[in-house]
């Protein structure tokens, strides 16, 4: 059974506010409008969910923020038997991440590659296979595919120019107006 991510970008409005301490958080945009993927590498890297690549998660198990908006809380609590692993991460944290940091361990999945004249060597997927004593960097051919044991970096897991691009662009735009400490991604999962 697959796992999907749900959530919101929240922003604490400070633009035009005389006293930032009096401002409140707002559910700025539903994550479903910005991200439609199912990227287990990103889920593991960010929140520790389906962490097959072996990352030190950036924001695992934080729960909902204590000052989460009512709208976000209502969405999460709307399906208590379905949703799990709520957490959040601020834009201030995300911009400080070393995206070239490698995972703590090699990926539990074998990376599969195919070669074509038109595109060259391209990753075609990942699969759980018996590594038979193989270690990082090992490569072999099986079922017409090039198989590799690899260790991923955060940048490979959360491609900033890929599916996560609209999420990061939205968070950055809000941070440019309100400040990086006032923008966060609140997320949870189903399966």
């Amino acid at each position: 059974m697959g796992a999907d991510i749900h959530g919101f970008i929240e922003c604490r409005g400070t633009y035009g506010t005389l006293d930032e301490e009096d401002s409140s958080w707002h559910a700025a945009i539903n994550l479903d409008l910005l991200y439609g993927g199912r990227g287990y590498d990103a889920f593991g890297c960010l929140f520790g969910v389906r962490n097959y690549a072996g990352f030190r998660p950036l924001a695992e198990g934080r729960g909902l923020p204590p000052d989460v908006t009512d709208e976000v809380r209502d969405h999460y609590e709307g399906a208590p038997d379905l949703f799990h692993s709520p957490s959040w991460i601020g834009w201030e944290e995300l911009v400080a991440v070393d995206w070239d940091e490698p995972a703590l361990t090699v990926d539990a999945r074998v990376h599969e590659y195919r070669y074509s004249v038109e595109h060259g060597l391209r990753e075609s997927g990942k699969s759980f296979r018996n590594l038979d004593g193989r270690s990082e960097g090992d490569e072999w051919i099986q079922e017409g595919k090039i198989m590799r044991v690899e260790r991923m970096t955060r940048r490979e897991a959360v491609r900033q120019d890929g599916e996560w691009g609209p999420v990061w662009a939205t968070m950055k735009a809000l941070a440019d107006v309100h400040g990086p400490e006032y923008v966060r991604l609140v997320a949870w999962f189903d399966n």
Side-chain angles (χ1 to χ4, degrees):
M1 182 178 280
D4 294 303
I5 191 170
H6 304 273
F8 283 80
I9 294 173
E10 288 189 321
C11 179
R12 188 169 167 191
T14 61
Y15 184 73
T17 303
L18 294 176
D19 184 0
E20 290 180 6
E21 297 305 313
D22 289 338
S23 66
S24 59
W25 287 95
H26 300 275
I29 188 165
N30 190 317
L31 185 60
D32 291 344
L33 298 173
L34 300 172
Y35 179 83
R38 181 183 276 177
Y40 293 159
D41 296 329
F43 299 171
C45 176
L46 296 170
F47 301 109
V49 172
R50 303 281 172 115
N51 193 8
Y52 305 125
F55 286 102
R56 176 188 55 81
L58 296 173
E60 182 177 25
R62 292 181 173 177
L64 295 178
D67 54 355
V68 69
T69 63
D70 290 341
E71 181 178 356
V72 173
R73 182 181 305 284
D74 290 347
H75 269 80
Y76 174 72
E77 292 177 350
D81 295 332
L82 177 65
F83 296 142
H84 62 86
S85 305
S87 197
W88 61 275
I89 189 166
W91 182 248
E92 191 172 44
E93 294 172 273
L94 288 166
V95 297
V97 168
D98 174 5
W99 292 102
D100 294 316
E101 179 184 350
L104 297 172
T105 63
V106 296
D107 198 327
R109 302 156 301 172
V110 173
H111 293 235
E112 301 174 359
Y113 293 85
R114 290 197 179 271
Y115 179 82
S116 72
V117 174
E118 184 179 343
H119 297 103
L121 191 63
R122 294 188 119 165
E123 188 168 30
S124 59
K126 300 178 185 103
S127 63
F128 290 100
R129 296 179 183 256
N130 186 345
L131 295 180
D132 293 323
R134 298 181 188 269
S135 58
E136 184 175 359
D138 284 354
E139 181 176 295
W140 67 100
I141 297 175
Q142 184 175 335
E143 299 168 5
K145 298 180 224 170
I146 297 170
M147 315 297 273
R148 290 184 184 158
V149 178
E150 296 184 0
R151 182 185 308 256
M152 296 182 71
T153 65
R154 291 189 187 283
R155 186 176 314 281
E156 293 168 324
V158 188
R159 298 196 181 273
Q160 320 231 333
D161 59 348
E163 291 178 317
W164 285 89
V167 177
W168 301 151
T170 301
M171 291 180 78
K172 182 185 182 314
L174 290 168
D176 287 348
V177 174
H178 301 284
E181 67 273 26
Y182 297 126
V183 179
R184 65 189 178 201
L185 172 61
V186 181
W188 54 88
F189 299 83
D190 69 31
N191 51 334

